[in-house]
Amino acid sequence: MSSDIRFTDFKSDAQPTWCPGCGDFGTMNGMMKALANTGNDPDNTFVVAGIGCSGKIGTYMHSYALHGVHGRALPVGTGVKMANPNLEVMVAGGDGDGYSIGAGHFVHAVRRNVDMTYIVMDNRIYGLTKGQFSPTSREDFETSTSPEGTKQQPVNPLALALSAGGTFIAQSFSSDSQRHTEIVQQAIEHDGFGFVNVYSPCVTFNDVDTYDYFRDTIVDLDETDHDPTDYDDAKEKILDADKEYQGVIYQDESSVGFEEREGLSESMADIPDGAPEDAMDLVREFY
Amino acid sequence: MPDDLNWAIGGEAGDGIDSTGKIFAQALSRAGRHVFTSKDFASRIRGGYTAYKVRTSVDRVESVVDRLDILIALTERTVEENMDELHDDSVIIYDGERTMMKDFEAPGEMTGLDVPLKRLAEEAGGAIVRNIVALGAACEVADFPIENLDESLEKRFGDKGSAIVDTNKQAARLGQDYVADEYGLDTGYELETTDSDYVLLNGDEAIGMGAIAAGCRFYSGYPITPATDVMEYLTGRIDQYGGKVVQAEDELSAINMALGAARAGARSMTATSGPGIDLMTETFGLIAQTETPLVICDVMRSGPSTGMPTKQEQGDLNMTLYGGHGEIPRFVVAPTTVAECFHKTIEAFNLAEKYQTPVYLVSDLAMAVTEQTYEPEQFDMDAVEIERGRVVDEDGIEEWTNEKGQFTPHAATDDGVSPRTFPGVEGGAHMTTGLEHDGLGRRTEDEQVRVEQVDKRNRKVETAREREDWSPREFGDPDSDNLVISWGSNEGAMLEALDFLEEEGVDVRFLSCPYIFPRENLAEDIREADEVIVVECNATGQWADVLEHDALERVKRINKYTGVRFKADELAERVKEELAGEPAEVEAE
């Protein structure tokens, strides 16, 4: 990896089609800065995304990337990292992508603890399909598919992650560029599954969870006496429904990535031109 | 006496039926005899009846037949279930001291050998070796030297210590002696041994072995009958070559993990059965659209829905051929024998990487659970060639970069195959998407680019049609006017059916097709024949439909969808009836 990498090296020349003012710009910029700050380069980075506004991220970044199907980015990231543990793997998704169709994969990715970073651009709405409620939308939130308010409780992704055995659970706000970048950076540096839920406001369809709302309510854990290595402390913060927190909420510092526990360190891309030299042993097993 | 012996052990699930059968099959194989095994489950769904059947001969055996010569019956139901295959010369070994067998009498002219299996087992060292006592008794009936069992017992129980092995050896001998002393019967069987050293394996194992030979390094799957053995085979073994098996949370995850590993450069595979293919179909389209090489193995079972999980069927042909929305270039390869499961798996990996396309490797339950003997040379590892296709490294990347210095992973080439880089290769960073994209891999709705990319992807299939050999395997009389065509695992039964038919003076030309798509056009063969019969294990004749479409000619059909594979003698009879113009109704077993 080269030391003179700048975050703009992670930028492609494609023009984003996100709405002006979208929170995803800030989320992505923080990811690119964090990748550069941690010494990664585009040729050794793999970005995976699913469907939705968040899914477009691979186009706007410059790296090896895959834009897949709805909700299934985490398994793809798992396969990439297992097959080549030397790559920096970033998975990006939205609240619909990650907590609705992909909720099952989320829980299993957390418990597997593969060393990759999962960024969820949480705007609490379905943006690309033009304004339906999402799994993180508040109860009684009025949208085109919930004109009388949703009758469903929002999912608490941080609680899901904690209960599944998450080893790095954090939250950030895309417009707080410096803190967001720092938090993503810590997630990248974490040995295991680094999960960051990013408040990434939708300026077009969500007039409740706005920039102003988050600016007014967010509490930065660095300005409190929160200890992220204290499980009970983390649990208390995560289950506190009245507050929006920013920072690393929980980190298990003894975490070791799944691929390392499985004994993987080399790329699986290099194979011989023929069968392995001792392959006849595989046949002899059947005598 | 017939040249071959048909033997079975049956009882309740949990009676150790499978391991006992396997011990006997391995002993026969090591003694230089050919073996063909099948696992039999009741066609009526009740209780836990299960049986392991072994057909053995000095000559090759390619299928099961409708005859059972020696049956170890741990329950009376075992006899009932197999009544159709038993005959007057059959020998039934049972334990009359067992409460449930105490009133048992061998039906008709059959010979019943009442052997106190449990009592002798306890004498040898424990009731648990009851089945081995029965094996010893069966060896005596078949005149098969009992020493041949010893190595199998050592292999099976060796890691439990020599005392356990000795107990088993002793148990076998007590069973043998009991039959010799009490009955002294001469059944006329003589299980001749030879110097040959065969290997004994099933289709799932052959697929797993083929995958390792082909350099597969990543496998992710979700357990499902009858594909699970592929995953179990690879687990542990693939690690020795730097690979890994991951048991995913579901089939959706499994295929997406496999996709991720393939994008990272690993030869990658997943295996499942029909219901799992349904779940994977969404990502199947993504794999084709992103031009990712991947082998997806479908070990078919009876459908639709959960159907009959432990029963045979070839019902997924249409799904593998047409499944997925939009139009998806693909390869569909269906090995026709257990050995071909090995060879076609290697071919599947090469096709996937040479053409950057998903490959369906289609097997079925009958092949998955059948263990068959082969000469080890059939699995010639020196002959394995790995072709990775148009992979571009640092030195080659410039050729494929545009004027802005961007790599073009989806360049529209003449042969349809684009350059491919593995992550980590400098200058190769690029985005891949399931959306329609341009040569850079970026989303587009431009009409001209759309047409260019669709044509490019389809051109890979045309290139493969020209470059590869898609011909069927041909057997029987090449000049016959009677043409039988089958696909997948029916080859063995049909090969033996040819022998039966020949004895009756019926000549047949037989084409066994391992390639579903692309495939050789058989129109001329079909038009030249007087009678054309397509044999397959499904109700509607999916392969027959495909061939009719290709040839614009009607073909006759032999279909079986009872859940049980074709038996050679049964198939011969049905071919004869079709040729005589008297199609038989499908009979339930």
Side-chain angles (χ1 to χ4, degrees), chain A residues 150-161:
Chain A
T150 66
K151 302 289 180 266
Q152 305 181 26
Q153 277 185 50
V155 70
N156 180 340
L158 307 177
L160 262 184

Side-chain angles (χ1 to χ4, degrees), chain A residues 13 43 67 112 269 273 285, chain B residues 237 249 388 424 432 442:
Chain A
D13 62 353
D43 289 326
H67 176 212
R112 227 171 252 126
D273 294 335
E285 259 190 71
Chain B
R237 288 185 181 83
E249 58 270 27
R388 306 212 67 180
T432 305
R442 288 192 191 161

Side-chain angles (χ1 to χ4, degrees), chain B residues 125-183:
Chain B
I128 197 167
V129 295
R130 179 184 63 173
N131 293 357
I132 308 300
V133 177
L135 267 190
C139 287
E140 176 64 17
V141 175
D143 201 7
F144 179 61
I146 201 158
E147 296 72 30
N148 290 305
L149 277 184
D150 291 349
E151 212 179 320
S152 288
L153 293 171
E154 279 159 20
K155 181 165 178 163
R156 172 78 194 171
F157 301 111
D159 56 356
K160 293 182 177 168
S162 60
I164 303 280
V165 173
D166 289 345
T167 300
N168 278 279
K169 287 181 183 173
Q170 171 70 1
R173 279 159 181 76
L174 287 176
Q176 179 193 34
D177 293 347
Y178 188 88
V179 171
D181 296 347
E182 294 293 318
Y183 295 99

Side-chain angles (χ1 to χ4, degrees), chain A residues 64-184:
Chain A
Y64 281 90
L66 184 109
H67 176 212
V69 291
H70 203 193
R72 323 250 172 255
L74 284 170
V76 175
T78 300
V80 171
K81 187 70 182 181
M82 299 289 281
N84 189 350
N86 302 316
L87 299 174
E88 189 60 48
V89 179
M90 301 279 285
V91 179
D95 39 315
D97 187 79
Y99 307 144
S100 197
I101 191 165
H105 301 313
F106 174 53
V107 169
H108 292 281
V110 169
R111 97 183 150 78
R112 227 171 252 126
N113 201 34
V114 176
D115 185 12
M116 55 188 183
T117 304
Y118 183 38
I119 306 291
V120 179
M121 302 155 158
D122 184 1
N123 56 14
R124 301 180 174 177
I125 191 97
Y126 282 165
L128 205 55
T129 51
K130 300 188 176 172
Q132 300 79 24
F133 66 88
S134 93
T136 49
S137 294
R138 300 154 186 248
E139 203 167 350
D140 299 326
F141 187 48
E142 291 174 19
T143 71
S144 61
T145 51
S146 58
E148 293 171 8
T150 66
K151 302 289 180 266
Q152 305 181 26
Q153 277 185 50
V155 70
N156 180 340
L158 307 177
L160 262 184
L162 191 73
S163 61
T167 59
F168 185 97
I169 300 168
Q171 194 153 257
S172 65
F173 176 33
S174 70
S175 96
D176 189 344
S177 174
Q178 192 186 334
R179 284 292 285 140
H180 167 62
T181 303
E182 279 169 17
I183 292 164
V184 174

